[in-house]
Amino acid sequence: MAATDQDVLSRSSSTSHTIQEDQKRTSKNPDRPSSDIDEKHSQSHLTETFATKQLTTDEKHSNDDNDITDDKDKKKKDGKKKKEKKKAVPLYRLFRFATPRDLFMIFVAIICSAGIGAIQPVTIVIFGDLLGSISSTAMTNPSAMLDVSMNLILIFVYMGTAVLVAAYCANCFWVLTGENQTRRIRTMYVHAILRQDMGWFDKAEEGSLTTRLATDTQLIQDGISEKFGLFITAIAQFISGFVVAFVKGWQLAVIMLATMPILAGTGGAMGYFITKYTLKTQTSYAEAGAVAEQVFAGIRTVYSFSLQERFARRYDQSLEKAAATGIKRGAILGFGFGGFMFVLFCTYGLAFWYGAKLTMQGEIEGPTVMVVFFAMIMGAIALLQLPPNLSAVSSAAGAAYKIFETIDRVPDIDPDSTEGIIPEKLEGEIEFRNVQFKYPTRPDITILKDLTLKIRPGMTVAFVGPSGSGKSTSVQLVQRFYDPLAGQVLLDGRDLKSLNVKWLRDQIGVVSQEPVLFNMTIRQNLLMGVQREVTPEEIVDACKKANCHMFISQLPNGYDTLVGEHGGMMSGGQKQRIAIARAILKNPSILLLDEATSALDTQSERLVQKALDAAAANRTTIVIAHRLSTIRNADLIVVMQQGDLIEQGTHNELLALNGVYADLVRKQEIATKQVGHQEEEIDDEELLLKETVQLKEEVEAVENIQVIAEKAPSLDLAKVTSRSSVDAFQLKLKKEKEEKKLAKKQKAPIGKVLRQMRPEWPLLALGVAGAAIAGAVFPCFALILAQVINILIMSADPSRRSAIAPGPMQGANLYAFLFVVVAIAALFGFATQVISFETAGERYTKRLRGAIFRAYMRQEIGYFDEEEHSLGALTSKLAIDAKNVNEMVTKTWGDITQIIVTGIVGLVIAFVHSWTLTLIILCMAPFIMFATGYESKIHRGFEDVTKKANEQSGEVAGEAIKEIRTVCALNKQPFFEGKYYKATDHPHKLARRKAITASLGYGLHQGITVYTNAVAFYAGIRLMSDGKIDFLQMFTTMMTIMITAQSVGRASVFTQTFAKAKFSSLAAFAVLERVPSIDPDLEGIETEKVKGEVDFKDITFRYPSRPDVPIFSGEFNLHGKAGTTIALVGPSGCGKSTTIGMLQRWYDPLDGTVRLDDHNVKAFSVNNLRSHMALVGQEPVLFDMSIGDNIRFGVDEHKTITQDDVEAACKAANIHNFIIGLPQGYDTRVGDKGSQLSGGQKQRIAIARALIRKPKILLLDEATSALDSESEKLVQAAIDNILEEGGRTTITIAHRLSTIQNADLICVVKNGRVIEQGTHWELLKLNGTYSELVHQQSLNAN
């Protein structure tokens, strides 16, 4: 076994390495169950799951987060529960998606893997024979040595070749089959998710589905590819090692067996604790991540209330916890690893001492001692390699359980099934018969009590009523997203359940409150509704009907413009009109409009309403509306309240009833009474004329911009997008590649990192010292080993037996003792290295993470508008970058030191013993290093690249899963499945290429060691027979070099780490050093009091993320007196909200000035400026804590607030009674993004938060637009109370004019300037744009 002793050694060292690697891996990204939480973050979909989880956890700890003790007890209980629940699929089921071809490859791979494992210990036997023959001939006839040993040397060569081929086949086949199956599983899983019913989605909180798609399938792949092969190899090696050892010399084998449990115990205990602490650290980091995610999601709110410091502190608290557990983990890792090496070397000592004793007594031959020793060690090492691979296989089985379960689940409402009636034609008669319904997630709340309603074909029926009364639910029942618990929903007299689901949804067009557009071009979005071929003319036609053709044709790329994530590039009204065009294009028999116009401004609304009326003609239409003006022409108006139908009839009938409906109408009435009714209806011709005029103006503006845009570099993107096949997704990939290239050119900022690590220098020095000791251990070990074997072998003839160990501290006994000394050194070296570096790393990571987070919170809002700074990107950056940067120092330095020391010590020992042989063997060293390096590099690179690629393809699926309702309504599941399959193509090709190339490295690595042994023996024996060196010199040289080369070959592993760390650190320092264009830390005026006068002068403005779209072109002027109420009205996208952004200094105008009390707002310090204002936005952002805390966040920290203050603010905001009615009152957790509350409730809490600030300037950005009449009334009442108090300037932006008719000044904004201003009555007299808007919204019963 020359192969093998070095092999063994190298293996023992490499095992130590694998253990370390494995621990590292577990620590870096516990590939095992907890699978990359960092990555999970990057999928912002986590938030959604969190929200649902919160439901369950909220009740548990509504009391403050600080009651960690309770949490711990709970965790224990939860832990117990979880343990029982962890289900897994049986092993053979993991391969259920393999094709026959895959199965054949798997079979071959299993045989090869087993062969590789079994062959190792067998080589040792040959090696023993070789040494025996050498030692006997060396005594008698040195010159005949070569002839005697030639045959054995050739056997080595043959075995090397066999191993090389087998290893290549095995690895290649494992990777290929694993990849094929995983892709199949992924595709089926996406398909399975997309076909589930809504009830399942409501419940699916178990780790969000997208995360599961990315990480759990990765776990399955790990478990059925190479890791499975290694698992089999390890078993085979273990069995054959022990068999060889017991056959050759059972006496020694038994003694060695005794120490094995200790070895296994240390290894096992270490693994257990590390996993435990890794999980703990990960949970704390996840908590920190959740804090960060809330900040990025609500960044405008955070800025507006200056909450940066508070969130930074909350973030730091989570980091503190994480760092503490991380340091503990480091200590355990260090001591565990050191202890493990200690036990290992002590075992060697024991074995040789006892072996020498047995040889002296003549029980076994000298060479046999060595064979038994190595065979046992190999068996034991195989045992050690089992746990990581076994855990990979078992976590695969665990992950597969959930995924296979989903794949096998057939939903109650199955869009895939071909069953169900497909009627010839559809009349469109809908009937609800005694329908009763509760949402599956909230079985205790009845939504519909007993709804009975008949809708005749072609009717337009409107549902009105407060939110939560079951309006939207009834629409979802018609789409069959849910089935009623009792009663039936009938279509043309047939129960919906009897109809084919896919056909049913094809007949229904839906336009919902929040229109969902997918991240592709407008044209692709429009075609989403249609299952047939559509001509461009039809598309244009539909868009004209929906009044969106105009603005689309103005966009630089027209219909081929990308809409951005969730349609983020468009204003609400624009998205809504595109969604309507999509519905019109579908040309459904039934049209469902769920508050389709609530987010629009009056003019868009008027036009959209026209479009809807056109769309609703001759088809059954169900409309849900909060704004009654939109539905007064409905054939039937149904008023709902708390799940009951309380009134029905036409607009005028219901007014005559003078009940709930009449009441609602009165609330929304706009006083136009002073002006007569003559010009009640504006002629639509006029509207269209206006549109064309507008079109002309805007087109001219666009042409001017076009000139500017030509110069801008965004052109190359535009060109690419015109091919409709290119997705936003591919563009992103391209961009990432370019960024990588750029980063490669820059130098890694090691200096900066070191300077930041100043406090950890002593620890780093200690670590380097430890690493040096650890590095010297292996060569010294080789030296002693050679000495012992030499003594045992040279004593072959009985006469010299007594010379083996003449005294207690002589001969073999001395060397056995030296093993113990090496063991102590190893314990000290490894423990010091690991503990120092880990501790330093954790401390630094904590500081760096905090710093990066604070740096993000210093950036101006424009920074967060950019594509690459989306919520997901920032959270994952925070999670990953800081970790990687610290690895630049902590991981790489120790390894480098260790390798350098190993190299130096090893070569010195070898050259001293025989320089000729050293040089000959060194010729082989490059091959060994290449093989080891190539294998580990490819292997690591492979994992990283595929993971990343899979994650990106996951985004594609993620989009569909997130908007599942829309996807279902459009019946577009197959489209997204196809898109996903296409996105997985790239990773799939990568993996196949890897299978073929990487396996080469693996095969070489397995074979090259055996070849080197053959070369070394041949050369060594030649030199010996020439009398140049003796056996001891030959053997020492060989052992040392082999071990050294193996250790050095592993150097390539950290180049990988280093490269990753370099990218991350460049990114991190870029953020830390970026100077925000609006810097919150700059000095400025700090006033206690402001009057509240507001002035905009000659403003020019464009959003930084869309520099080609001018919002204001230097003509925007507005003056607001202190203490008045100013209302801004106008079409969407005209820049109303932008004014608020400029007052708050989220953005600065490109030109012109914004003033507050005669001071330019830039003169104030940012926080002081914002402290005088309070904001209530269109979509209120609440943070995941109690209601009380959310409201307290309205006030600066240093001011004290009593509970009474909070309650007073809530009373003013009309929400106090609601809060008191909750089981936990003000301590109720609101859930992530406020998910536990309805829109109106959130909005009123946001108002309370703004009020408690006692602002001089109150900014209301469409604060009531997303609410139903009932909530709107409450919120409006709250706002009116505030306005009446007076004493502050209020700027409100509104689409619904009824809400602002009492304002002191109403400004109509259009085309970037104020075109009319005055009070409600003054503007009506002007008879201009405003009075038109009023008439469009007015609700008089004629």
Side-chain angles (χ1 to χ4, degrees):
M1 113 113 220
T4 25
D5 40 345
Q6 301 84 354
D7 212 42
V8 160
L9 281 187
S10 63
R11 278 191 168 231
S12 60
S13 76
S14 77
T15 319
S16 69
H17 240 88
T18 24
I19 299 173
Q20 205 178 10
E21 279 308 311
D22 245 77
Q23 304 304 359
K24 268 188 208 162
R25 216 169 294 151
T26 338
S27 59
K28 258 196 288 223
N29 50 348
D31 232 23
R32 316 285 121 83
S34 69
S35 101
D36 311 6
I37 293 193
D38 284 351
E39 285 176 29
K40 280 201 185 162
H41 258 120
S42 59
Q43 273 115 7
S44 51
H45 314 288
L46 213 62
T47 47
E48 277 130 60
T49 15
F50 265 47
T52 25
K53 279 194 184 143
Q54 227 77 49
L55 273 172
T56 43
T57 45
D58 285 350
E59 283 85 74
K60 273 192 234 154
H61 42 210
S62 56
N63 35 3
D64 209 47
D65 284 352
N66 303 348
D67 309 8
I68 290 170
T69 40
D70 304 1
D71 268 15
K72 276 193 186 143
D73 301 341
K74 266 183 218 121
K75 268 192 195 131
K76 273 181 202 150
K77 281 179 207 152
D78 287 358
K80 272 185 199 143
K81 267 189 228 151
K82 265 185 202 139
K83 269 192 189 129
E84 295 153 19
K85 271 202 304 209
K86 181 86 180 136
K87 298 182 182 133
V89 296
L91 258 190
Y92 67 94
R93 295 285 288 160
L94 272 177
F95 298 98
R96 60 181 267 203
F97 293 113
T99 55
R101 183 164 148 238
D102 287 342
L103 285 172
F104 171 70
M105 285 163 86
I106 290 172
F107 176 68
V108 174
I110 288 179
I111 291 174
C112 290
S113 295
I116 300 170
I119 224 166
Q120 300 280 3
V122 177
T123 10
I124 297 183
V125 182
I126 301 171
F127 185 56
D129 296 349
L130 182 61
L131 288 185
S133 67
I134 291 178
S135 60
S136 51
T137 21
M139 302 298 142
T140 50
N141 179 6
S143 51
M145 262 194 210
L146 254 186
D147 312 337
V148 177
S149 47
M150 201 58 205
N151 280 344
L152 290 168
I153 290 176
L154 283 175
I155 290 182
F156 268 125
V157 178
Y158 303 144
M159 283 179 98
T161 314
V163 168
L164 200 151
V165 174
Y168 179 78
C169 287
N171 205 44
C172 185
F173 285 177
W174 281 123
V175 177
L176 276 178
T177 55
E179 180 54 39
N180 290 339
Q181 294 171 68
T182 313
R183 185 175 189 191
R184 225 164 281 136
I185 291 174
R186 282 204 170 104
T187 320
M188 293 180 73
Y189 185 54
V190 170
H191 172 79
I193 291 178
L194 293 182
R195 76 186 267 213
Q196 299 306 334
D197 49 83
M198 294 305 128
W200 183 81
F201 279 98
D202 295 343
K203 287 204 189 91
E205 87 258 301
E206 284 289 316
S208 68
L209 302 167
T210 24
T211 317
R212 198 162 253 138
L213 176 66
T215 46
D216 286 14
T217 48
Q218 187 72 43
L219 285 177
I220 297 181
Q221 182 164 4
D222 281 349
I224 59 178
S225 324
E226 315 96 304
K227 298 251 170 77
F228 197 84
L230 291 173
F231 172 64
I232 290 174
T233 305
I235 294 177
Q237 187 175 324
F238 165 67
I239 295 173
S240 75
F242 275 57
V243 168
V244 167
F246 277 95
V247 169
K248 282 291 194 178
W250 61 268
Q251 306 95 318
L252 183 55
V254 169
I255 289 289
M256 285 187 70
L257 197 62
T259 63
M260 289 299 156
I262 305 178
L263 258 187
T266 355
M270 176 167 74
Y272 165 74
F273 282 115
I274 281 171
T275 321
K276 182 175 139 190
Y277 280 108
T278 305
L279 282 172
K280 269 193 176 165
T281 331
Q282 295 278 333
T283 8
S284 332
Y285 275 146
E287 266 172 44
V291 173
E293 198 156 317
Q294 287 189 50
V295 170
F296 297 140
I299 191 78
R300 286 178 162 79
T301 310
V302 172
Y303 279 17
S304 157
F305 288 99
S306 302
L307 303 175
Q308 291 94 320
E309 211 17 68
R310 279 186 246 194
F311 276 107
R313 276 211 304 278
R314 282 184 65 193
Y315 190 68
D316 289 343
Q317 279 162 5
S318 320
L319 293 182
E320 278 294 335
K321 276 195 284 192
T325 42
I327 289 173
K328 269 191 202 139
R329 202 192 93 225
I332 288 167
L333 183 60
F335 285 124
F337 193 49
F340 180 80
M341 298 308 280
F342 176 76
V343 177
L344 187 70
F345 285 128
C346 288
T347 309
Y348 293 172
L350 175 72
F352 281 116
W353 167 77
Y354 189 68
K357 199 161 158 271
L358 287 176
T359 319
M360 278 164 76
Q361 292 161 3
E363 302 261 337
I364 19 181
E365 289 284 299
T368 316
V369 172
M370 200 203 66
V371 172
V372 174
F373 171 74
F374 279 123
M376 275 307 272
I377 291 282
M378 293 200 116
I381 280 175
L383 246 188
L384 283 174
Q385 282 169 349
L386 263 183
N389 295 316
L390 180 65
S391 80
V393 175
S394 62
S395 39
Y401 180 79
K402 261 284 192 264
I403 287 191
F404 289 179
E405 188 182 52
T406 306
I407 291 179
D408 297 333
R409 180 179 190 272
V410 177
D412 315 331
I413 304 173
D414 182 5
D416 279 1
S417 88
T418 46
E419 286 158 32
I421 310 165
I422 299 185
E424 290 295 300
K425 67 182 207 311
L426 179 66
E427 292 297 326
E429 177 183 78
I430 301 173
E431 183 181 354
F432 292 89
R433 246 185 232 163
N434 310 48
V435 173
Q436 214 192 343
F437 182 73
K438 299 175 182 164
Y439 281 106
T441 40
R442 295 192 254 170
D444 45 341
I445 301 171
T446 311
I447 305 288
L448 295 177
K449 294 203 182 111
D450 180 14
L451 176 65
T452 304
L453 173 69
K454 189 161 183 170
I455 299 172
R456 293 195 308 285
M459 260 174 90
T460 298
V461 176
F463 284 83
V464 294
S467 49
S469 60
K471 304 187 301 289
S472 300
T473 308
S474 43
V475 167
Q476 299 201 24
L477 290 176
V478 174
Q479 285 175 274
R480 221 178 145 211
F481 281 165
Y482 301 97
D483 282 335
L485 297 179
Q488 319 171 277
V489 183
L490 305 171
L491 177 63
D492 288 358
R494 296 192 181 92
D495 190 325
L496 286 187
K497 292 184 187 176
S498 66
L499 297 169
N500 178 298
V501 181
K502 192 165 167 17
W503 175 85
L504 172 71
R505 290 185 186 154
D506 271 340
Q507 307 310 312
I508 300 178
V510 185
V511 181
S512 61
Q513 185 171 0
E514 295 207 344
V516 173
L517 299 184
F518 298 101
N519 194 358
M520 40 183 143
T521 65
I522 296 181
R523 170 170 288 123
Q524 286 165 316
N525 264 304
L526 290 169
L527 292 176
M528 288 304 272
V530 206
Q531 309 287 351
R532 58 196 161 86
E533 281 294 303
V534 178
T535 62
E537 288 74 48
E538 283 181 78
I539 295 182
V540 172
D541 203 45
C543 288
K544 278 186 179 147
K545 276 192 192 150
N547 287 308
C548 58
H549 175 65
M550 188 180 92
F551 88 82
I552 295 176
S553 39
Q554 283 168 23
L555 294 167
N557 300 330
Y559 282 88
D560 293 318
T561 309
L562 283 176
V563 298
E565 232 175 307
H566 316 308
M569 289 298 182
M570 314 266 154
S571 78
Q574 292 167 337
K575 281 198 289 202
Q576 194 58 283
R577 294 195 310 236
I578 292 177
I580 291 170
R582 178 167 68 190
I584 293 178
L585 205 55
K586 185 174 184 177
N587 195 12
S589 315
I590 298 170
L591 188 59
L592 306 176
L593 305 175
D594 187 352
E595 307 199 16
T597 60
S598 70
L600 305 185
D601 58 86
T602 318
Q603 199 181 348
S604 328
E605 182 189 351
R606 177 75 189 275
L607 293 169
V608 168
Q609 197 52 50
K610 273 257 142 331
L612 290 176
D613 292 344
N618 53 41
R619 61 188 74 172
T620 311
T621 311
I622 297 183
V623 186
I624 293 179
H626 286 330
R627 272 195 236 180
L628 306 181
S629 54
T630 57
I631 54 152
R632 44 197 275 219
N633 306 334
D635 304 319
L636 177 65
I637 294 175
V638 177
V639 185
M640 297 183 68
Q641 205 164 19
Q642 286 162 353
D644 285 329
L645 196 157
I646 49 176
E647 299 177 356
Q648 51 177 325
T650 62
H651 179 69
N652 291 346
E653 288 167 18
L654 290 176
L655 279 186
L657 257 180
N658 208 359
V660 181
Y661 181 76
D663 205 38
L664 288 174
V665 169
R666 252 177 271 145
K667 289 178 179 168
Q668 286 192 18
E669 189 67 294
I670 307 179
T672 53
K673 294 285 173 284
Q674 285 186 344
V675 191
H677 279 318
Q678 317 77 293
E679 12 79 294
E680 176 55 26
E681 270 303 309
I682 307 177
D683 172 18
D684 296 323
E685 290 298 308
E686 246 176 85
L687 260 180
L688 290 173
L689 250 173
K690 286 195 103 102
E691 262 205 8
T692 21
V693 174
Q694 225 174 315
L695 222 176
K696 276 214 182 78
E697 285 175 15
E698 289 185 7
V699 166
E700 277 159 22
V702 168
E703 273 164 7
N704 298 341
I705 298 157
Q706 212 71 53
V707 182
I708 305 166
E710 308 266 287
K711 296 174 193 152
S714 64
L715 265 184
D716 48 321
L717 289 186
K719 277 194 201 106
V720 184
T721 16
S722 57
R723 304 217 327 271
S724 56
S725 61
V726 174
D727 292 21
F729 182 67
Q730 256 101 25
L731 284 179
K732 200 160 145 193
L733 289 180
K734 197 172 145 194
K735 200 163 175 189
E736 272 176 17
K737 265 191 196 148
E738 279 163 15
E739 275 172 15
K740 273 239 160 93
K741 267 191 206 142
L742 253 177
K744 279 213 169 95
K745 290 179 193 146
Q746 295 166 290
K747 276 207 182 69
I750 301 183
K752 282 182 196 162
V753 176
L754 269 184
R755 278 198 292 285
Q756 286 197 340
M757 287 189 83
R758 192 65 219 258
E760 280 84 36
W761 282 4
L763 277 171
L764 293 179
L766 196 63
V768 170
I773 297 173
V777 164
F778 286 111
C780 297
F781 161 69
L783 177 67
I784 301 170
L785 184 68
Q787 298 284 355
V788 174
I789 288 180
N790 180 43
I791 289 181
L792 289 177
I793 284 185
M794 282 314 162
S795 58
D797 54 339
S799 57
R800 297 175 58 187
R801 274 201 187 132
S802 55
I804 291 179
M809 265 307 181
Q810 286 166 305
N813 291 354
L814 169 67
Y815 292 121
F817 173 68
L818 282 181
F819 272 124
V820 178
V821 176
V822 171
I824 294 168
L827 170 66
F828 178 72
F830 282 109
T832 316
Q833 177 192 347
V834 176
I835 294 173
S836 317
F837 280 128
E838 286 284 322
T839 312
E842 283 296 342
R843 287 187 190 167
Y844 177 57
T845 307
K846 181 187 78 188
R847 282 207 310 275
L848 186 67
R849 260 195 193 173
I852 294 180
F853 184 54
R854 283 191 158 85
Y856 275 137
M857 291 196 302
R858 273 213 336 268
Q859 307 307 333
E860 72 280 6
I861 295 275
Y863 180 81
F864 297 95
D865 291 343
E866 288 167 33
E867 235 350 78
E868 59 269 30
H869 303 141
S870 65
L871 186 146
L874 293 180
T875 31
S876 58
K877 259 207 180 112
L878 258 183
I880 299 161
D881 282 357
K883 188 112 196 85
N884 289 348
V885 173
N886 106 63
E887 284 178 4
M888 177 185 284
V889 175
T890 55
K891 291 277 186 293
T892 49
W893 283 28
D895 290 358
I896 292 174
T897 314
Q898 217 175 323
I899 281 165
I900 293 174
V901 174
T902 306
I904 294 173
V905 177
L907 288 176
V908 167
I909 294 175
F911 274 109
V912 167
H913 281 81
S914 159
W915 60 269
T916 4
L917 187 56
T918 305
L919 289 175
I920 293 173
I921 303 179
L922 275 183
C923 294
M924 292 298 283
F927 293 105
I928 297 183
M929 282 156 86
F930 171 75
T932 323
Y934 183 71
E935 183 200 14
S936 53
K937 172 172 182 270
I938 289 265
H939 198 77
R940 293 308 265 304
F942 174 44
E943 281 182 1
D944 289 350
V945 174
T946 5
K947 260 215 179 83
K948 190 156 182 160
N950 283 326
E951 206 179 292
Q952 287 166 330
S953 54
E955 285 177 18
V956 174
E959 188 177 29
I961 293 171
K962 197 165 180 175
E963 304 300 358
I964 186 69
R965 281 186 158 72
T966 311
V967 175
C968 281
L970 294 168
N971 260 336
K972 272 297 181 193
Q973 294 96 325
F975 173 82
F976 282 100
E977 284 160 36
K979 194 168 161 186
Y980 178 71
Y981 189 74
K982 216 164 75 192
T984 52
D985 211 38
H986 173 65
H988 188 67
K989 283 198 186 109
L990 270 178
R992 283 174 41 195
R993 202 170 68 217
K994 279 296 170 351
I996 293 158
T997 51
S999 316
L1000 186 65
Y1002 180 69
L1004 270 177
H1005 182 217
Q1006 298 291 331
I1008 198 96
T1009 29
V1010 190
Y1011 288 150
T1012 311
N1013 287 326
V1015 171
F1017 274 118
Y1018 179 73
I1021 291 170
R1022 279 292 294 272
L1023 289 171
M1024 274 168 74
S1025 57
D1026 294 352
K1028 295 247 175 51
I1029 52 172
D1030 60 11
F1031 179 77
L1032 175 62
Q1033 285 169 313
M1034 171 192 116
F1035 202 73
T1036 313
T1037 310
M1038 227 172 94
M1039 296 296 314
T1040 347
I1041 290 205
M1042 295 292 285
I1043 287 177
T1044 309
Q1046 285 262 332
S1047 308
V1048 176
R1050 247 174 257 106
S1052 64
V1053 172
F1054 65 62
T1055 50
Q1056 205 79 24
T1057 318
F1058 191 75
K1060 233 174 32 197
K1062 178 181 146 182
F1063 285 133
S1064 285
S1065 54
L1066 286 170
F1069 284 109
V1071 174
L1072 291 173
E1073 289 159 12
R1074 181 175 188 274
V1075 179
S1077 60
I1078 299 175
D1079 191 344
D1081 303 339
L1082 284 182
E1083 299 292 305
I1085 305 176
E1086 300 267 348
T1087 60
E1088 279 304 304
K1089 280 265 174 288
V1090 292
K1091 296 205 291 291
E1093 215 167 290
V1094 180
D1095 226 345
F1096 288 87
K1097 222 182 166 82
D1098 305 332
I1099 303 289
T1100 305
F1101 182 74
R1102 299 182 182 162
Y1103 281 106
S1105 56
R1106 308 172 60 192
D1108 50 345
V1109 182
I1111 307 289
F1112 297 140
S1113 335
E1115 299 177 348
F1116 183 78
N1117 290 295
L1118 173 67
H1119 175 68
K1121 293 197 194 61
T1124 57
T1125 300
I1126 302 151
L1128 300 177
V1129 296
S1132 54
C1134 71
K1136 302 187 299 288
S1137 307
T1138 313
T1139 50
I1140 285 187
M1142 287 197 273
L1143 256 186
Q1144 287 257 312
R1145 274 199 85 197
W1146 292 339
Y1147 303 100
D1148 278 341
L1150 299 176
D1151 199 16
T1153 51
V1154 181
R1155 294 178 170 279
L1156 172 63
D1157 286 5
D1158 307 328
H1159 294 295
N1160 190 330
V1161 288
K1162 293 186 185 178
F1164 291 90
S1165 72
V1166 177
N1167 287 349
N1168 183 271
L1169 172 71
R1170 291 178 184 157
S1171 69
H1172 302 303
M1173 310 183 190
L1175 169 80
V1176 182
Q1178 187 169 358
E1179 291 190 6
V1181 175
L1182 299 185
F1183 301 104
D1184 189 1
M1185 42 183 115
S1186 73
I1187 293 181
D1189 286 343
N1190 260 304
I1191 293 170
R1192 285 193 191 88
F1193 263 28
V1195 179
D1196 291 349
E1197 284 168 284
H1198 46 77
K1199 298 185 183 145
T1200 43
I1201 302 182
T1202 60
Q1203 181 61 27
D1204 297 343
D1205 295 342
V1206 174
E1207 287 179 17
C1210 289
K1211 281 178 186 141
N1214 250 333
I1215 182 99
H1216 179 64
N1217 298 339
F1218 162 74
I1219 299 177
I1220 294 180
L1222 293 169
Q1224 288 145 0
Y1226 278 92
D1227 293 330
T1228 312
R1229 283 282 287 274
V1230 298
D1232 186 38
K1233 300 208 178 77
S1235 51
Q1236 307 295 303
L1237 304 169
S1238 79
Q1241 293 156 359
K1242 281 197 287 203
Q1243 198 54 285
R1244 299 204 299 268
I1245 290 175
I1247 290 176
R1249 175 176 65 192
L1251 288 184
I1252 199 164
R1253 213 177 157 88
K1254 303 211 164 54
K1256 268 323 243 185
I1257 300 179
L1258 181 63
L1259 308 171
L1260 304 172
D1261 187 354
E1262 308 201 15
T1264 60
S1265 72
L1267 309 180
D1268 56 89
S1269 306
E1270 204 45 41
S1271 330
E1272 180 188 354
K1273 209 60 217 168
L1274 290 168
V1275 173
Q1276 198 48 51
I1279 293 177
D1280 293 342
N1281 294 346
I1282 304 162
L1283 298 183
E1284 274 157 34
E1285 276 176 42
R1288 64 166 70 89
T1289 313
T1290 310
I1291 297 183
T1292 71
I1293 291 179
H1295 283 331
R1296 290 193 215 175
L1297 305 183
S1298 55
T1299 57
I1300 54 148
Q1301 53 192 18
N1302 303 330
D1304 300 316
L1305 177 66
I1306 296 175
C1307 300
V1308 184
V1309 183
K1310 201 163 161 195
N1311 296 342
R1313 58 175 188 266
V1314 177
I1315 52 171
E1316 299 177 6
Q1317 51 181 333
T1319 62
H1320 177 68
W1321 302 116
E1322 287 167 19
L1323 291 177
L1324 280 181
K1325 289 203 183 74
L1326 271 177
N1327 214 347
T1329 315
Y1330 182 74
S1331 67
E1332 253 175 68
L1333 295 177
V1334 170
H1335 291 310
Q1336 289 171 14
Q1337 284 191 24
S1338 159
L1339 262 188
N1340 306 324
N1342 310 329

